[in-house]
Amino acid sequence: MTDLLLIGGYALLAGGVVGAGGALALRLLRGRSILVHIVLLLAVTVLAVVAGVVTVAYAMFLSGHDLSVVLVTVGASAVVSLLVGGLFGRRLAAAAVWARAARDRERRLEAGRRELVAWVSHDLRTPLAGLRAMAEALEDGVVGDPATAAEYHRRIRVEADRMTQLVDDLFELSRINAGALRLALTAVPLRDLVSDALAGVAPLAVSRRITLDALETGWPVVHASERELARVISNLLVNSVRYTPAGGTVRVEAGRDHADVWLAVSDTCGGIPEPDLARVFDVAFRGERSRTPDPAHTGGGLGLAIVRGLVEAHGGRVGVRNTGGGCRFEVRLPAAVIER
């Protein structure tokens, strides 16, 4: 019994020294990946066993032959342990990174939902208050002048159209997020879609003295859903026109390279602050109000979020970057959806 206690004490002392060194190493490497921590823990465990065996052997409790047998056995087990630990440690590290990214994305989505509710509440409350005031004035006969009554009717229609657009955007975004979007893919000439979108945004551009420019030739044909792709182009154009100061230019162009077909909308808005570039496609993100020349024309912050959702539904991607005096929004669809 005394010998066993002495062996246990030697092994515990040797393992404790190795464990203390491992704890120090883990502290020094606390910023490294989970895989490094797992491999280090396995190595410390194996070294603690080896240290205990060697210590007991040198205390003359094991013969040289027995020590060799034990060390070979421990070494083989160590190789297996490290290989298995490295393999599953890599999977655990990947799973941890994925889980962290999922948590971060969920937090961003939740923050976006809260911000969206706040923006929508504000955007609905203001026009509803105006509509009620004008309707009560007309109902009570406070407004007797035909010209003023006609102006009230016009403003009621305009505000109703704005709220209808906001509700439509919310419905479209909910379809995208719920996975209920069904694309009817056909051969779509980009030239026709861009022409229609330019005609639709022309009145807004004229009122803001914005020049619209587009290529004459070189428009590719894509295999996509015409309605959704038209919405993408229209939203990008409206966004650029709204954020471009008077006298600026909005240009549309498209082309095809070895991997993608692309469509770009460039403007002279003055650029987007670098911290905002990664957020412009987030739900309800509007950026600084100082960048919005006409606050009356701001939307619910849903247009670019809808653009990203529709483009990704086609298997493509959308991005934005600053270009000198403005910014460039670029939509890319994979070559697999090009109608050749």
Side-chain angles (χ1 to χ4, degrees):
M1 180 62 69
T2 302
D3 291 343
L4 291 177
L5 291 176
L6 191 58
I7 291 172
Y10 278 123
L12 184 62
L13 178 61
V17 172
V18 174
L24 179 61
L26 285 172
R27 182 176 180 82
L28 295 176
L29 298 175
R30 60 182 179 272
R32 303 298 294 273
S33 67
I34 296 177
L35 177 60
V36 172
H37 288 183
I38 292 175
V39 172
L40 183 58
L41 284 173
L42 291 173
V44 169
T45 302
V46 173
L47 288 176
V49 174
V50 173
V53 170
V54 173
T55 303
V56 171
Y58 276 110
M60 302 182 66
F61 288 98
L62 286 179
S63 65
H65 177 268
D66 292 339
L67 176 62
S68 300
V69 171
V70 172
L71 289 179
V72 169
T73 304
V74 171
S77 301
V79 171
V80 175
S81 299
L82 291 175
L83 288 177
V84 174
L87 176 62
F88 287 95
R90 186 182 299 275
R91 293 184 180 180
L92 288 174
V97 171
W98 178 86
R100 182 184 304 172
R103 288 194 300 270
D104 292 341
R105 185 172 185 272
E106 182 61 29
R107 282 195 292 267
R108 289 196 301 270
L109 289 175
E110 182 60 30
R113 282 191 288 266
R114 290 195 297 267
E115 190 175 1
L116 173 61
V117 170
W119 278 114
V120 170
S121 299
H122 175 270
D123 284 356
L124 288 177
R125 186 182 298 113
T126 302
L128 284 173
L131 287 172
R132 180 173 181 176
M134 288 184 288
E136 288 178 350
L138 291 171
E139 183 180 9
D140 296 339
V142 175
V143 178
D145 180 25
T148 304
E151 176 62 17
Y152 273 28
H153 284 116
R154 187 192 68 80
R155 290 171 58 185
I156 289 174
R157 180 185 57 79
V158 170
E159 294 298 337
D161 289 343
R162 286 180 59 189
M163 287 190 293
T164 300
Q165 182 63 44
L166 179 59
V167 172
D168 288 344
D169 287 347
L170 287 171
F171 176 71
E172 188 75 18
L173 195 60
S174 67
R175 283 206 308 154
I176 294 171
N177 292 335
L181 186 64
R182 297 294 180 265
L183 302 178
L185 302 179
T186 58
V188 181
L190 275 182
R191 180 186 180 92
D192 295 343
L193 293 185
V194 170
S195 178
D196 293 341
L198 287 173
V201 80
L204 177 61
V206 170
S207 67
R208 299 181 54 79
R209 302 198 305 277
I210 304 297
T211 301
L212 299 177
D213 188 19
L215 292 175
E216 292 294 332
T217 59
W219 296 97
V221 176
V222 296
H223 196 62
S225 177
E226 182 174 355
R227 176 184 174 276
E228 279 72 23
L229 194 54
R231 183 74 177 271
V232 167
I233 299 171
S234 177
N235 283 10
L236 289 176
L237 283 172
V238 169
N239 177 78
S240 292
V241 169
R242 284 175 175 171
Y243 280 90
T244 299
T249 301
V250 173
R251 178 175 175 80
V252 190
E253 51 191 337
R256 179 185 300 169
D257 54 31
H258 66 283
D260 302 307
V261 58
W262 55 269
L263 179 138
V265 177
S266 306
D267 57 42
T268 54
C269 66
I272 300 174
E274 290 296 329
D276 291 348
L277 281 176
R279 299 188 57 200
V280 293
F281 295 101
D282 290 350
V283 174
F285 180 74
R286 304 189 189 188
E288 301 176 4
R289 286 193 174 273
S290 59
R291 292 186 59 248
T292 308
D294 187 357
H297 286 295
T298 58
L302 305 178
L304 293 181
I306 291 173
V307 166
R308 180 174 62 182
L310 294 179
V311 171
E312 290 178 352
H314 282 83
R317 60 191 186 278
V318 60
V320 59
R321 59 185 174 87
N322 289 324
T323 56
C327 57
R328 175 186 174 96
F329 290 85
E330 187 169 284
V331 173
R332 285 186 169 268
L333 298 177
V337 300
I338 298 177
E339 181 73 16
R340 296 188 181 278

